[in-house]
Amino acid sequence: MVVCGDDALAHRLARELHEVYGERVTLLVPAPPEAPRAPAARTGRALALFGRVTAAVTRTTGSGAAPAASGDGGEPGGALRVVESAEADDRALVDVGVERAAALALVHEDDETNLRAALTARRLNPRLRLVIRLYNRKLGQHLETLLDQAAAVAEPGLDPEKPDAATTVLSDVDTAAPGLAAAAVAGTSKVVQAGGLLFHAVDRPPREGEPPDPGLCTLALLSATAGDPAGCEGSERSGDHGPRLLPDDRTVAAATGRAAVTLEAVTAAGPDLPATRLAASALPVASLFSRRLRWSLAGAAGAVLALALASTFTTGDHPLHAAYLTLLDIFAIGDPAVGEPTSRQLLQILAGFVGLLLLPVIVAALLEGLGTFRTATTLRRPSRGLSGHVVLLGLGKVGTRVLARLRKLGIPVVCVESDPEARGIAVARRLRVPTVIGDVTEEGVLEAARIHRAHALLALTSVDITNLEAALSARAVTPDLRVVLRLYDDDFATAVFRTLRTAHPTAVTRSRSVSHLAAPAFAGAMMGRRILGAVPVERRVLLFASVDVAAHPLLDGRKVADAFVPGAWRVIALDGAAAGRADHARGWRLHPDRLLVPGDRVVVAATRRGLAELLGRGGRSGPAGEGGVPDNSVRTEAG
């Protein structure tokens, strides 16, 4: 397998395939401009970055197993090598063996680079399984169809419906956004579209002295403590205090007072609706007048009504005629009440006084309405009375997706961004989200975002130090503020978490890595399965995959209840293609006694190691030749 890229996701993905699935992996990274073209061993930037990322992953996989022996006396089985090239062109792809590879992952940060390499790779190897990282989702849908059609034309006998030969376009940002949003706001829901079905997963808050409500089934139990004693909150190293994925019924019943992620519904997925442009083009009528101005107008209307009623009672006029005369007096266009009764003269004087008070209110309404229309295409400022909101720091790729996710959940957000031309500025403007333009490290920027009244801070810039400084500044203002940090380095994240937890034991601190949340979904797609989605569970990920029963001995011929392996995988439902059968009446839920037959295609919820075991690649505890850990040697080449 070949992985192209040079960021955290590329290195985590390569290590995931190597350590979890035992694959032979080649990591193709860009070479520095001064690098020689001839292959040569080197310990430059690529290997240094790879070592930093893989060291953290190695701690989660253990190091006590024996290496696998080489099958032919040459390259060790499951070896991982790093190759450097100026760009992923025809020559570089041929050098790393794309023509003979089973799968290729293109995970450069630039969409255009991945697109060019995907077209080249499909031409070199029509049977190659492609996994492409694209931020542009609409382009990704068209690209999947195009590359699958190209493979079918080049190889007429190739089955376009076979998952092993398909093109999969994923976005690391879309995979991680639900987890980042859920870390800031407890109780959020997650929706995974699986073919023709929608799976609704909900975060269930803990219930004192009672086990969590399992719903249709319990997908995961969240951490048992707000602060993991091991300092590895939410990860695989948390032990019994960490999250438990796919627990059995006995474990769920014993988990009293513990939050959970449960599957609540399985419904049919309707056709995709075109995105509405109403929010982008509609006039902000609701925000024409401020709250203070609305109260002023209401008070003036009440005064007019009171004067009209008083005139009716004192003069005996018809209410409409009395209101008419009152308005004439207010706007100073009525005749003086000379020779009229004293009550009429007093009412006229009061009406004139109300008119004087109403004049500045009318002028303020006109100016405010005009200003609102003029600023309909500009960024809003946070209102003075705003509270209970989420402060989102950074409107890059990750921040933009998280912003859309939070607004879809109806959560108030205030954004902070230093670059006025950032990717997410247009999204914030379209969604009418208050935004502060400024460097968060400068004095007064967080205060302008009303951090002292906020519910949570999401620091999602690409700079660790900036995120940390923002968190420390926010905690200095509000010690019990809920803080979620995006940190690249695992060791640094652990140290930050422990320190913040010690300094603020009553507050909630979370550290999240986009590459850590996204790598399992990319690795599952590399293995040829139809990865339908991923549900982040704290710092772990639960995968949803569509698999054919006939191709998996661990499923074929077993009952649904017997096919459930706690902590590994669980059969959730029939795939959308099989939803028209008799099980349709049960909402696509499978009865525990139902026998899985070769004609079935089912949706499976699995951990990354469970998916590896389901694919026949998960036996890692035996000696060499019986599922032991492959050789951990890493070779670096330039070319």
Side-chain angles (χ1 to χ4, degrees):
M1 295 190 172
V2 180
V3 177
C4 296
D6 194 25
D7 63 352
L9 176 60
H11 293 274
R12 284 191 183 276
L13 175 58
R15 195 67 180 188
E16 185 98 0
L17 294 169
H18 174 57
E19 290 289 337
V20 178
Y21 295 95
E23 291 293 326
R24 294 173 54 187
V25 182
T26 298
L27 178 60
L28 180 62
V29 300
E34 67 277 4
R37 295 292 299 176
R42 62 193 310 269
T43 58
R45 171 175 172 266
L47 191 57
L49 178 61
F50 182 83
R52 183 169 65 165
V53 174
T54 56
V57 182
T58 304
R59 291 194 297 270
T60 68
T61 58
S63 58
S70 171
D72 55 3
E75 187 178 88
L80 191 155
R81 63 189 183 123
V82 179
V83 177
E84 293 185 350
S85 178
E87 57 180 330
D89 53 7
D90 296 41
R91 176 182 174 183
L93 294 177
V94 171
D95 289 344
V96 296
V98 165
E99 295 171 313
R100 305 180 306 276
L104 168 66
L106 300 167
V107 292
H108 293 280
E109 292 186 344
D110 180 37
D111 285 2
E112 183 178 352
T113 301
N114 294 330
L115 177 59
R116 291 175 178 270
L119 296 174
T120 301
R122 180 58 79 204
R123 175 174 52 82
L124 294 174
N125 186 355
R127 293 184 173 272
L128 181 68
R129 191 180 313 126
L130 283 174
V131 179
I132 309 170
R133 171 191 187 182
L134 284 183
Y135 180 81
N136 190 328
R137 290 174 289 187
K138 185 175 181 180
L139 175 61
Q141 294 174 357
H142 295 308
L143 185 62
E144 279 188 356
T145 303
L146 175 65
L147 294 178
D148 286 343
Q149 290 177 348
V153 171
E155 294 284 343
L158 191 65
D159 184 5
E161 298 297 329
K162 187 177 181 182
D164 286 358
T167 302
T168 304
V169 176
L170 297 174
S171 170
D172 59 323
V173 177
D174 288 335
T175 303
L180 293 170
V185 183
T188 57
S189 60
K190 309 173 182 67
V191 177
V192 176
Q193 183 167 355
L197 302 178
L198 287 176
F199 295 86
H200 301 262
V202 178
D203 289 350
R204 290 289 185 186
R207 300 188 300 180
E208 187 66 28
E210 298 182 13
D213 184 3
L216 298 182
C217 69
T218 301
L219 298 177
L221 295 172
L222 302 184
S223 294
T225 59
D228 181 18
C232 308
E233 170 270 328
S235 69
E236 294 179 343
R237 294 176 285 160
S238 299
D240 294 337
H241 296 279
R244 303 286 296 274
L245 302 185
L246 300 176
D248 55 18
D249 295 339
R250 181 179 301 177
T251 303
V252 174
T256 57
R258 195 161 176 175
V261 179
T262 63
L263 183 65
E264 296 300 314
V266 182
T267 59
D272 294 335
L273 298 177
T276 177
R277 298 185 60 85
L278 181 61
S281 59
L283 295 177
V285 178
S287 59
L288 277 178
F289 307 121
S290 65
R291 182 179 180 183
R292 183 178 301 176
L293 187 57
R294 289 196 297 267
W295 278 109
S296 300
L297 291 175
V304 172
L305 180 60
L307 289 172
L309 292 176
S311 179
T312 300
F313 291 142
T314 57
T315 63
D317 286 347
H318 190 275
L320 293 179
H321 185 260
Y324 172 69
L325 293 178
T326 301
L327 290 175
L328 290 179
D329 293 336
I330 287 177
F331 294 113
I333 58 178
D335 295 330
V338 179
E340 298 288 336
T342 305
S343 58
R344 167 66 182 152
Q345 294 175 345
L346 292 175
L347 289 175
Q348 191 174 54
I349 294 175
L350 290 176
F353 183 70
V354 171
L356 292 176
L357 296 178
L358 185 59
L359 181 61
V361 175
I362 294 176
V363 174
L366 292 176
L367 293 177
E368 185 167 321
L370 178 62
T372 301
F373 277 107
R374 294 184 61 182
T375 59
T377 58
T378 61
L379 293 172
R380 297 179 59 188
R381 299 287 296 178
S383 60
R384 294 182 178 180
L386 182 64
S387 63
H389 58 286
V390 174
V391 176
L392 176 60
L393 173 59
L395 286 176
K397 289 183 177 181
V398 178
T400 303
R401 288 285 195 260
V402 174
L403 171 62
R405 176 79 179 178
L406 291 173
R407 294 303 300 135
K408 187 176 181 180
L409 296 172
I411 299 169
V413 184
V414 173
C415 299
V416 178
E417 174 57 53
S418 60
D419 183 9
E421 303 297 327
R423 180 190 301 267
I425 292 294
V427 177
R429 182 182 298 112
R430 175 173 58 84
L431 297 177
R432 304 294 296 163
V433 175
T435 304
V436 177
I437 301 297
D439 189 348
V440 72
T441 61
E442 296 179 356
E443 192 73 24
V445 174
L446 282 178
E447 286 75 8
R450 307 293 185 263
I451 192 66
H452 58 286
R453 296 180 179 176
H455 167 73
L457 170 68
L458 268 169
L460 302 181
T461 71
S462 57
V463 182
D464 286 3
I465 298 300
T466 300
N467 293 335
L468 177 59
E469 183 173 353
L472 295 177
S473 300
R475 280 284 171 83
V477 177
T478 310
D480 59 346
L481 181 70
R482 188 183 187 100
V483 174
V484 180
L485 300 176
R486 175 192 177 191
L487 297 177
Y488 169 78
D489 188 274
D490 280 347
D491 293 334
F492 182 58
T494 301
V496 168
F497 169 74
R498 287 175 174 173
T499 304
L500 289 178
R501 184 190 61 187
T502 303
H504 305 279
T506 61
V508 177
T509 306
R510 297 289 182 262
S511 62
R512 295 292 183 263
S513 167
V514 173
S515 61
H516 184 86
L517 295 173
F522 280 80
M526 288 282 286
M527 299 308 301
R529 303 301 96 181
R530 292 178 58 190
I531 298 299
L532 306 171
V535 172
V537 181
E538 297 182 357
R539 297 184 71 184
R540 302 186 64 182
V541 176
L542 187 64
L543 303 175
F544 284 80
S546 177
V547 298
D548 292 317
V549 171
H552 298 83
L554 296 176
L555 300 178
D556 190 5
R558 298 194 178 204
K559 295 181 180 180
V560 173
D562 297 334
F564 170 39
V565 179
W569 69 80
R570 181 170 191 162
V571 176
I572 300 298
L574 286 176
D575 197 352
R581 300 185 180 181
D583 295 291
H584 181 283
R586 300 181 57 85
W588 300 284
R589 290 181 59 195
L590 295 175
H591 193 275
D593 294 332
R594 186 188 190 280
L595 192 66
L596 299 177
V597 296
D600 291 334
R601 175 179 288 179
V602 295
V603 177
V604 175
T607 64
R608 59 191 184 111
R609 296 190 180 279
L611 184 61
E613 186 176 350
L614 188 61
L615 299 178
R617 304 169 184 269
R620 302 290 307 275
S621 59
E626 297 181 7
V629 178
D631 181 23
N632 288 331
S633 60
V634 179
R635 300 190 300 153
T636 304
E637 302 174 1

